[in-house]
Amino acid sequence: MERTTVLITGCSSGIGLGLAARLAADTTRRFKVYATMRDLAKGERLLERLGGCCPDTLEVLQLDVTDPGSLAAAAQRVQGQRLDVLVCNAGVGLMGPLETCSDQAMKTLFDVNLFGAVRTIQAFLPAMKSRRAGRIIVSSSIGGLQGLPFNAVYCASKFAVEGLCESLAIVLRPFNIHLTLVECGPVHTGFLTNLQRPDPEGSEMRGLDAETQGLYRRYLRHCQSIFRDTAQEVEEVLPVYLEAIGSPCPPLRCASTALLAPLWRLRLSSPDGSAYVRAMHDLVFGGDGP
């Protein structure tokens, strides 16, 4: 059986690690996985998950999506291999009142979430085009479809990713290259732990109006309850990626959760946006005051 070659970015933890492990451990050995990450030292987690090395099905590569040289080296490493599936999964988060988001933090976020995806696709797309075959899967977010409070810059980066991929999918259709966005909701990964956000009692909040400070505290409590009660495990999300890899004609968009589907439908039924803004505000901040 001819194996499917898959390259995944952001494999040091979370969805990337879980997907790489699932594919590499496939009992029929259908996949050859290039699991990439910025810091190779973190590759031990992936090898531990698999119980040791899997030389026939897994190769761990260094790849930093913000470094063109690193991308070129990774592309050179897989040159000559038929790359069937590219999974752009690397991403970072940024939460907090807009006034607390520094220029550097915002630039870093876009450099990973948007420009990192662009660079990665640019590195591997020409070979797919020349073969007139392949598929690209991009980890997006429900925050790429609808604005979430205190996630303005993160949502902006994911909105941009959505526009990038929707536009690109139109052009790639004649090349038989399928592009799929996987819109994830809250997932139990290291993403929340590593998320850059100001301490509500910290110095970054000094000078911010009291009302916004109160709203931010309420939002953090809301997030805690969401992750406690409704967040998915990585294993619950992986079938969406597996379907995008295996389906003969995968869709442009796949949602891993229906958590905010009613609010998404509200955006469509009330195009001027006012109903969505009210509903989201009431969902997060309704009830008692700060």
Side-chain angles (χ1 to χ4, degrees):
M1 180 189 297
E2 193 171 24
R3 290 197 294 182
T4 299
T5 304
V6 185
L7 186 142
I8 310 168
T9 66
C11 290
S12 61
S13 63
I15 292 171
L17 186 153
L19 182 60
R22 173 74 71 88
L23 296 175
D26 182 79
T27 55
T28 62
R29 307 172 76 82
R30 290 178 296 158
F31 301 99
K32 167 68 176 184
V33 181
Y34 290 95
T36 77
M37 58 195 69
R38 185 170 57 88
D39 182 1
L40 277 181
K42 295 181 178 179
E44 292 302 319
R45 300 177 190 172
L46 178 55
L47 296 177
E48 287 172 8
R49 176 78 69 89
L50 292 167
C53 295
C54 300
D56 293 337
T57 60
L58 176 72
E59 186 169 338
V60 179
L61 296 179
Q62 195 280 334
L63 196 161
D64 180 350
V65 299
T66 69
D67 179 358
S70 173
L71 266 164
Q76 180 67 30
R77 177 65 188 84
V78 302
Q79 191 175 31
Q81 300 281 335
R82 186 198 67 246
L83 183 60
D84 301 295
V85 183
L86 172 64
V87 183
C88 297
N89 174 70
V92 295
L94 178 64
M95 179 192 292
L98 187 63
E99 299 94 319
T100 68
C101 298
S102 68
D103 277 3
Q104 186 55 54
M106 292 187 286
K107 288 175 181 177
T108 297
L109 182 88
F110 269 82
D111 201 25
V112 176
N113 291 0
L114 175 61
F115 297 113
V118 171
R119 293 185 195 101
T120 305
I121 294 171
Q122 285 176 328
F124 297 100
L125 183 59
M128 286 185 173
K129 278 185 166 182
S130 67
R131 289 198 321 274
R132 305 188 79 83
R135 56 191 62 200
I136 300 167
I137 302 170
V138 179
S139 292
S140 185
S141 166
I142 56 175
L145 298 174
Q146 51 205 74
L148 305 174
F150 294 113
N151 281 272
V153 181
Y154 175 75
C155 287
S157 73
K158 291 299 186 179
F159 267 63
V161 167
E162 291 276 333
L164 166 77
C165 293
E166 186 170 289
S167 300
L168 187 58
I170 300 167
V171 178
L172 295 183
R173 190 174 182 194
F175 292 91
N176 191 35
I177 299 172
H178 298 282
L179 196 156
T180 299
L181 289 150
V182 178
E183 282 120 2
C184 299
V187 181
H188 287 298
T189 67
F191 182 83
L192 191 64
T193 303
N194 299 326
L195 179 66
Q196 186 173 339
R197 58 181 173 182
D199 183 333
E201 311 303 330
S203 60
E204 293 172 281
M205 302 293 286
R206 291 175 190 164
L208 192 64
D209 64 276
E211 188 170 0
T212 301
Q213 291 187 41
L215 290 170
Y216 181 53
R217 293 189 190 97
R218 289 165 71 180
Y219 180 69
L220 292 178
R221 292 196 295 270
H222 173 79
C223 284
Q224 289 173 350
S225 67
I226 288 290
F227 272 86
R228 182 184 64 245
D229 300 332
T230 62
Q232 294 177 291
E233 299 298 333
V234 169
E235 293 302 314
E236 296 178 79
V237 174
L238 295 185
V240 182
Y241 286 84
L242 297 176
E243 177 67 19
I245 290 172
S247 172
C249 189
L252 173 62
R253 291 187 171 90
C254 298
S256 72
T257 178
L259 179 63
L260 292 182
L263 286 170
W264 168 243
R265 288 193 290 270
L266 188 60
R267 290 183 83 238
L268 298 175
S269 63
S270 179
D272 74 357
S274 55
Y276 172 77
V277 170
R278 285 194 301 270
M280 178 58 82
H281 181 277
D282 291 346
L283 173 67
V284 177
F285 304 118
D288 297 333

